[in-house]
Short mmCIF file of all heavy atoms in Angstrom, two decimals:
data_model
loop_
_atom_site.label_atom_id
_atom_site.label_comp_id
_atom_site.label_asym_id
_atom_site.label_seq_id
_atom_site.Cartn_x
_atom_site.Cartn_y
_atom_site.Cartn_z
N LYS A 1 -22.44 144.02 188.71
CA LYS A 1 -22.19 145.50 188.55
C LYS A 1 -20.84 145.75 187.92
O LYS A 1 -19.91 145.05 188.09
CB LYS A 1 -22.37 146.19 189.89
CG LYS A 1 -23.75 146.18 190.43
CD LYS A 1 -23.79 146.97 191.73
CE LYS A 1 -25.21 147.09 192.27
NZ LYS A 1 -25.29 147.86 193.54
N GLY A 2 -20.79 146.86 187.17
CA GLY A 2 -19.53 147.31 186.62
C GLY A 2 -19.09 146.53 185.44
O GLY A 2 -19.75 145.60 184.98
N ILE A 3 -17.92 146.83 184.95
CA ILE A 3 -17.31 146.17 183.82
C ILE A 3 -17.02 144.74 184.12
O ILE A 3 -17.27 143.81 183.31
CB ILE A 3 -16.06 146.92 183.32
CG1 ILE A 3 -16.41 148.34 182.86
CG2 ILE A 3 -15.34 146.16 182.28
CD1 ILE A 3 -15.22 149.21 182.56
N ARG A 4 -16.42 144.44 185.32
CA ARG A 4 -16.05 143.08 185.68
C ARG A 4 -17.34 142.18 185.67
O ARG A 4 -17.36 141.11 185.11
CB ARG A 4 -15.42 143.05 187.10
CG ARG A 4 -15.14 141.66 187.55
CD ARG A 4 -14.58 141.65 188.99
NE ARG A 4 -13.29 142.18 189.02
CZ ARG A 4 -12.17 141.43 188.94
NH1 ARG A 4 -12.23 140.17 188.78
NH2 ARG A 4 -10.96 141.97 189.07
N GLY A 5 -18.43 142.72 186.30
CA GLY A 5 -19.62 141.92 186.31
C GLY A 5 -20.23 141.67 184.97
O GLY A 5 -20.72 140.61 184.64
N TRP A 6 -20.18 142.70 184.10
CA TRP A 6 -20.66 142.55 182.75
C TRP A 6 -19.93 141.48 182.01
O TRP A 6 -20.53 140.67 181.28
CB TRP A 6 -20.63 143.92 182.03
CG TRP A 6 -21.35 143.95 180.74
CD1 TRP A 6 -22.64 144.28 180.44
CD2 TRP A 6 -20.79 143.55 179.42
NE1 TRP A 6 -22.90 144.15 179.15
CE2 TRP A 6 -21.82 143.70 178.47
CE3 TRP A 6 -19.55 143.07 178.98
CZ2 TRP A 6 -21.58 143.46 177.13
CZ3 TRP A 6 -19.35 142.76 177.66
CH2 TRP A 6 -20.37 143.03 176.76
N VAL A 7 -18.59 141.59 182.08
CA VAL A 7 -17.77 140.62 181.36
C VAL A 7 -18.03 139.19 181.87
O VAL A 7 -18.22 138.24 181.13
CB VAL A 7 -16.30 140.97 181.53
CG1 VAL A 7 -15.40 139.85 181.00
CG2 VAL A 7 -15.98 142.27 180.71
N MET A 8 -18.07 139.06 183.21
CA MET A 8 -18.38 137.70 183.77
C MET A 8 -19.68 137.15 183.36
O MET A 8 -19.86 135.93 183.03
CB MET A 8 -18.23 137.75 185.29
CG MET A 8 -16.78 137.89 185.80
SD MET A 8 -15.72 136.56 185.20
CE MET A 8 -16.57 135.10 185.83
N GLY A 9 -20.69 138.05 183.22
CA GLY A 9 -21.98 137.57 182.79
C GLY A 9 -21.93 137.09 181.38
O GLY A 9 -22.53 136.02 181.02
N LYS A 10 -21.23 137.78 180.47
CA LYS A 10 -21.06 137.26 179.09
C LYS A 10 -20.29 135.98 179.04
O LYS A 10 -20.64 135.08 178.25
CB LYS A 10 -20.35 138.34 178.23
CG LYS A 10 -21.14 139.62 178.06
CD LYS A 10 -22.45 139.32 177.33
CE LYS A 10 -23.22 140.61 177.01
NZ LYS A 10 -24.52 140.32 176.35
N VAL A 11 -19.28 135.85 179.85
CA VAL A 11 -18.52 134.60 179.86
C VAL A 11 -19.34 133.45 180.31
O VAL A 11 -19.35 132.43 179.67
CB VAL A 11 -17.25 134.78 180.82
CG1 VAL A 11 -16.62 133.38 181.12
CG2 VAL A 11 -16.20 135.72 180.24
N MET A 12 -20.08 133.59 181.38
CA MET A 12 -20.91 132.53 181.91
C MET A 12 -22.05 132.20 180.95
O MET A 12 -22.40 131.06 180.80
CB MET A 12 -21.45 132.87 183.27
CG MET A 12 -20.39 133.01 184.36
SD MET A 12 -19.46 131.46 184.62
CE MET A 12 -17.87 131.86 183.80
N GLY A 13 -22.51 133.21 180.23
CA GLY A 13 -23.58 132.90 179.27
C GLY A 13 -23.09 132.06 178.11
O GLY A 13 -23.75 131.05 177.70
N ARG A 14 -21.94 132.39 177.56
CA ARG A 14 -21.41 131.55 176.50
C ARG A 14 -21.09 130.14 176.98
O ARG A 14 -21.08 129.17 176.18
CB ARG A 14 -20.14 132.19 175.89
CG ARG A 14 -20.47 133.44 175.11
CD ARG A 14 -19.25 133.87 174.25
NE ARG A 14 -19.01 132.92 173.15
CZ ARG A 14 -17.97 132.93 172.41
NH1 ARG A 14 -16.95 133.75 172.70
NH2 ARG A 14 -17.78 132.09 171.40
N ALA A 15 -20.67 130.05 178.27
CA ALA A 15 -20.34 128.74 178.80
C ALA A 15 -21.53 127.92 179.23
O ALA A 15 -21.35 126.78 179.75
CB ALA A 15 -19.38 128.91 180.04
N GLY A 16 -22.72 128.44 179.07
CA GLY A 16 -23.93 127.69 179.38
C GLY A 16 -24.40 127.81 180.84
O GLY A 16 -25.21 127.02 181.28
N ALA A 17 -23.90 128.83 181.50
CA ALA A 17 -24.19 128.91 182.94
C ALA A 17 -25.12 130.09 183.30
O ALA A 17 -25.23 130.53 184.44
CB ALA A 17 -22.90 129.07 183.68
N LYS A 18 -25.91 130.63 182.32
CA LYS A 18 -26.79 131.74 182.64
C LYS A 18 -28.26 131.43 182.40
O LYS A 18 -29.10 132.27 182.45
CB LYS A 18 -26.39 132.93 181.71
CG LYS A 18 -25.06 133.59 182.14
CD LYS A 18 -25.10 134.32 183.45
CE LYS A 18 -25.83 135.59 183.36
NZ LYS A 18 -25.82 136.35 184.64
N VAL A 19 -28.60 130.15 182.21
CA VAL A 19 -29.97 129.81 182.07
C VAL A 19 -30.69 129.97 183.44
O VAL A 19 -30.07 129.81 184.46
CB VAL A 19 -30.19 128.40 181.57
CG1 VAL A 19 -29.57 128.24 180.20
CG2 VAL A 19 -29.58 127.35 182.53
N PRO A 20 -32.01 130.33 183.42
CA PRO A 20 -32.66 130.43 184.73
C PRO A 20 -32.64 129.20 185.47
O PRO A 20 -32.73 128.04 184.95
CB PRO A 20 -34.10 130.84 184.30
CG PRO A 20 -33.96 131.42 182.88
CD PRO A 20 -32.84 130.66 182.32
N SER A 21 -32.62 129.29 186.80
CA SER A 21 -32.56 128.06 187.65
C SER A 21 -33.95 127.42 187.71
O SER A 21 -34.92 128.06 188.01
CB SER A 21 -32.09 128.44 189.07
OG SER A 21 -32.08 127.28 189.86
N PRO A 22 -34.00 126.09 187.48
CA PRO A 22 -35.26 125.33 187.57
C PRO A 22 -35.77 125.29 189.05
O PRO A 22 -36.94 125.04 189.27
CB PRO A 22 -34.95 124.04 187.00
CG PRO A 22 -33.74 124.20 186.21
CD PRO A 22 -32.93 125.24 186.86
N ASN A 23 -34.81 125.36 189.97
CA ASN A 23 -35.09 125.37 191.40
C ASN A 23 -35.87 124.16 191.85
O ASN A 23 -36.84 124.25 192.66
CB ASN A 23 -35.88 126.65 191.78
CG ASN A 23 -35.02 127.89 191.77
OD1 ASN A 23 -33.78 127.79 191.94
ND2 ASN A 23 -35.60 129.03 191.53
N ARG A 24 -35.42 122.94 191.37
CA ARG A 24 -36.18 121.80 191.80
C ARG A 24 -35.19 120.61 191.91
O ARG A 24 -34.11 120.63 191.39
CB ARG A 24 -37.28 121.41 190.79
CG ARG A 24 -36.78 120.98 189.47
CD ARG A 24 -37.91 120.50 188.55
NE ARG A 24 -37.47 120.24 187.19
CZ ARG A 24 -37.67 121.06 186.18
NH1 ARG A 24 -38.35 122.13 186.35
NH2 ARG A 24 -37.22 120.73 184.98
N ILE A 25 -35.70 119.55 192.62
CA ILE A 25 -34.98 118.29 192.66
C ILE A 25 -35.91 117.24 192.05
O ILE A 25 -37.09 117.21 192.38
CB ILE A 25 -34.65 117.95 194.13
CG1 ILE A 25 -33.63 118.94 194.65
CG2 ILE A 25 -34.17 116.52 194.22
CD1 ILE A 25 -33.35 118.78 196.16
N THR A 26 -35.36 116.50 191.17
CA THR A 26 -36.12 115.48 190.43
C THR A 26 -35.70 114.10 190.87
O THR A 26 -34.50 113.86 191.14
CB THR A 26 -35.90 115.64 188.93
OG1 THR A 26 -36.50 116.88 188.51
CG2 THR A 26 -36.49 114.48 188.08
N LEU A 27 -36.70 113.20 191.00
CA LEU A 27 -36.35 111.81 191.38
C LEU A 27 -36.34 110.97 190.10
O LEU A 27 -37.27 110.98 189.32
CB LEU A 27 -37.41 111.27 192.38
CG LEU A 27 -37.22 109.88 192.84
CD1 LEU A 27 -37.54 109.71 194.35
CD2 LEU A 27 -38.04 108.87 192.04
N LEU A 28 -35.32 110.11 189.99
CA LEU A 28 -35.20 109.21 188.87
C LEU A 28 -35.12 107.80 189.43
O LEU A 28 -34.44 107.50 190.39
CB LEU A 28 -33.85 109.46 188.09
CG LEU A 28 -33.60 110.88 187.60
CD1 LEU A 28 -32.26 111.02 187.00
CD2 LEU A 28 -34.65 111.24 186.51
N ARG A 29 -35.96 106.96 188.87
CA ARG A 29 -36.04 105.52 189.34
C ARG A 29 -35.86 104.53 188.18
O ARG A 29 -36.52 104.64 187.18
CB ARG A 29 -37.40 105.30 189.99
CG ARG A 29 -37.63 103.86 190.48
CD ARG A 29 -38.89 103.70 191.23
NE ARG A 29 -38.84 104.40 192.62
CZ ARG A 29 -39.86 104.56 193.35
NH1 ARG A 29 -41.11 104.08 193.01
NH2 ARG A 29 -39.74 105.23 194.52
N ASP A 30 -34.91 103.64 188.38
CA ASP A 30 -34.63 102.57 187.46
C ASP A 30 -35.19 101.32 188.07
O ASP A 30 -34.40 100.47 188.63
CB ASP A 30 -33.14 102.50 187.13
CG ASP A 30 -32.81 101.36 186.16
OD1 ASP A 30 -33.72 100.81 185.56
OD2 ASP A 30 -31.59 101.00 186.08
N LYS A 31 -36.43 101.04 187.99
CA LYS A 31 -37.14 99.89 188.75
C LYS A 31 -36.60 98.55 188.20
O LYS A 31 -36.48 97.63 188.96
CB LYS A 31 -38.62 100.04 188.63
CG LYS A 31 -39.37 99.07 189.55
CD LYS A 31 -40.84 99.36 189.51
CE LYS A 31 -41.58 98.41 190.49
NZ LYS A 31 -43.02 98.65 190.46
N ASP A 32 -36.41 98.46 186.89
CA ASP A 32 -36.02 97.17 186.32
C ASP A 32 -34.49 96.96 186.19
O ASP A 32 -34.07 96.01 185.64
CB ASP A 32 -36.67 96.98 184.99
CG ASP A 32 -36.32 98.04 183.94
OD1 ASP A 32 -35.48 98.88 184.26
OD2 ASP A 32 -36.92 98.04 182.81
N HIS A 33 -33.78 97.95 186.70
CA HIS A 33 -32.31 97.84 186.74
C HIS A 33 -31.67 97.60 185.39
O HIS A 33 -30.69 96.91 185.23
CB HIS A 33 -31.84 96.78 187.73
CG HIS A 33 -32.43 96.95 189.12
ND1 HIS A 33 -32.28 98.09 189.83
CD2 HIS A 33 -33.15 96.04 189.85
CE1 HIS A 33 -32.90 97.88 191.00
NE2 HIS A 33 -33.47 96.69 191.07
N ASP A 34 -32.24 98.29 184.38
CA ASP A 34 -31.66 98.11 183.02
C ASP A 34 -30.70 99.26 182.63
O ASP A 34 -30.25 99.37 181.53
CB ASP A 34 -32.78 98.01 181.94
CG ASP A 34 -33.57 99.26 181.85
OD1 ASP A 34 -33.40 100.18 182.69
OD2 ASP A 34 -34.31 99.36 180.84
N GLY A 35 -30.46 100.12 183.66
CA GLY A 35 -29.48 101.24 183.39
C GLY A 35 -30.18 102.51 182.82
O GLY A 35 -29.43 103.46 182.51
N ILE A 36 -31.43 102.50 182.75
CA ILE A 36 -32.21 103.72 182.20
C ILE A 36 -33.29 104.00 183.23
O ILE A 36 -34.09 103.11 183.64
CB ILE A 36 -32.81 103.48 180.86
CG1 ILE A 36 -31.65 103.15 179.84
CG2 ILE A 36 -33.57 104.65 180.37
CD1 ILE A 36 -32.16 102.68 178.52
N ALA A 37 -33.36 105.24 183.63
CA ALA A 37 -34.47 105.69 184.57
C ALA A 37 -35.77 105.79 183.77
O ALA A 37 -35.93 106.70 182.99
CB ALA A 37 -34.09 106.98 185.24
N GLU A 38 -36.72 104.91 184.10
CA GLU A 38 -38.02 104.94 183.41
C GLU A 38 -39.04 105.78 184.15
O GLU A 38 -40.10 106.15 183.54
CB GLU A 38 -38.54 103.55 183.13
CG GLU A 38 -38.89 102.75 184.34
CD GLU A 38 -37.73 102.02 184.94
OE1 GLU A 38 -36.69 102.06 184.37
OE2 GLU A 38 -37.92 101.29 185.95
N THR A 39 -38.77 106.08 185.39
CA THR A 39 -39.66 106.92 186.17
C THR A 39 -38.97 108.21 186.52
O THR A 39 -37.82 108.21 186.95
CB THR A 39 -40.10 106.22 187.46
OG1 THR A 39 -40.81 104.98 187.09
CG2 THR A 39 -41.02 107.09 188.29
N ARG A 40 -39.70 109.36 186.29
CA ARG A 40 -39.12 110.67 186.60
C ARG A 40 -40.25 111.50 187.24
O ARG A 40 -41.31 111.66 186.66
CB ARG A 40 -38.62 111.38 185.34
CG ARG A 40 -38.06 112.75 185.64
CD ARG A 40 -37.62 113.41 184.34
NE ARG A 40 -36.77 112.53 183.50
CZ ARG A 40 -36.16 112.94 182.38
NH1 ARG A 40 -36.42 114.18 181.92
NH2 ARG A 40 -35.39 112.11 181.72
N THR A 41 -40.00 112.00 188.48
CA THR A 41 -41.07 112.77 189.12
C THR A 41 -40.42 114.04 189.74
O THR A 41 -39.21 114.03 190.15
CB THR A 41 -41.77 112.01 190.24
OG1 THR A 41 -40.82 111.57 191.19
CG2 THR A 41 -42.58 110.85 189.64
N VAL A 42 -41.19 115.06 189.87
CA VAL A 42 -40.70 116.25 190.59
C VAL A 42 -40.73 115.95 192.09
O VAL A 42 -41.86 115.78 192.66
CB VAL A 42 -41.53 117.51 190.29
CG1 VAL A 42 -41.09 118.68 191.13
CG2 VAL A 42 -41.43 117.87 188.80
N PHE A 43 -39.64 115.82 192.67
CA PHE A 43 -39.51 115.44 194.07
C PHE A 43 -39.72 116.63 195.05
O PHE A 43 -40.41 116.58 196.04
CB PHE A 43 -38.17 114.75 194.30
CG PHE A 43 -37.94 114.09 195.62
CD1 PHE A 43 -38.68 112.93 195.92
CD2 PHE A 43 -37.05 114.59 196.58
CE1 PHE A 43 -38.50 112.30 197.17
CE2 PHE A 43 -36.89 113.99 197.80
CZ PHE A 43 -37.62 112.85 198.12
N LEU A 44 -39.05 117.75 194.72
CA LEU A 44 -39.15 118.97 195.46
C LEU A 44 -39.14 120.11 194.50
O LEU A 44 -38.32 120.07 193.51
CB LEU A 44 -38.02 119.14 196.51
CG LEU A 44 -38.06 118.28 197.76
CD1 LEU A 44 -36.75 118.28 198.48
CD2 LEU A 44 -39.18 118.69 198.65
N GLU A 45 -39.89 121.17 194.74
CA GLU A 45 -39.90 122.33 193.81
C GLU A 45 -39.99 123.60 194.62
O GLU A 45 -40.10 123.56 195.82
CB GLU A 45 -41.03 122.20 192.78
CG GLU A 45 -42.36 122.09 193.42
CD GLU A 45 -43.44 121.84 192.29
OE1 GLU A 45 -43.17 122.14 191.12
OE2 GLU A 45 -44.54 121.34 192.62
N ASN A 46 -39.84 124.70 193.91
CA ASN A 46 -39.90 126.06 194.56
C ASN A 46 -38.79 126.24 195.54
O ASN A 46 -38.98 126.90 196.60
CB ASN A 46 -41.27 126.31 195.19
CG ASN A 46 -42.41 126.19 194.19
OD1 ASN A 46 -42.28 126.70 193.10
ND2 ASN A 46 -43.53 125.56 194.54
N LEU A 47 -37.59 125.65 195.17
CA LEU A 47 -36.47 125.93 196.02
C LEU A 47 -35.69 127.13 195.58
O LEU A 47 -36.14 127.82 194.65
CB LEU A 47 -35.58 124.65 195.97
CG LEU A 47 -36.25 123.30 196.51
CD1 LEU A 47 -35.46 122.06 196.09
CD2 LEU A 47 -36.36 123.39 198.01
N ASN A 48 -34.56 127.39 196.17
CA ASN A 48 -33.75 128.54 195.77
C ASN A 48 -32.35 128.12 195.49
O ASN A 48 -31.45 128.07 196.30
CB ASN A 48 -33.77 129.62 196.94
CG ASN A 48 -33.09 130.90 196.56
OD1 ASN A 48 -32.91 131.20 195.35
ND2 ASN A 48 -32.70 131.63 197.57
#
């Protein structure tokens, strides 16, 4: 709200911090230990 809130919203937007929250936790698995996660699954979703 107000001027302070408007300004902070613009600042955070330019800094990349205003995208909608995905609200999830993703699991990454590097089964072959080559330093790259070859498995990716939605572990938990619909969080806040």
Side-chain angles (χ1 to χ4, degrees):
K1 290 182 176 179
I3 294 171
R4 175 186 289 271
W6 189 92
V7 170
M8 286 304 300
K10 293 297 183 183
V11 167
M12 294 299 104
R14 290 194 70 193
K18 290 291 285 184
V19 299
S21 179
N23 287 334
R24 66 173 174 259
I25 293 173
T26 293
L27 181 142
L28 305 173
R29 177 174 291 173
D30 177 15
K31 189 174 182 180
D32 59 7
H33 306 304
D34 66 348
I36 300 173
E38 65 273 359
T39 298
R40 180 183 309 184
T41 59
V42 176
F43 189 70
L44 287 167
E45 55 187 341
N46 301 317
L47 298 166
N48 186 20

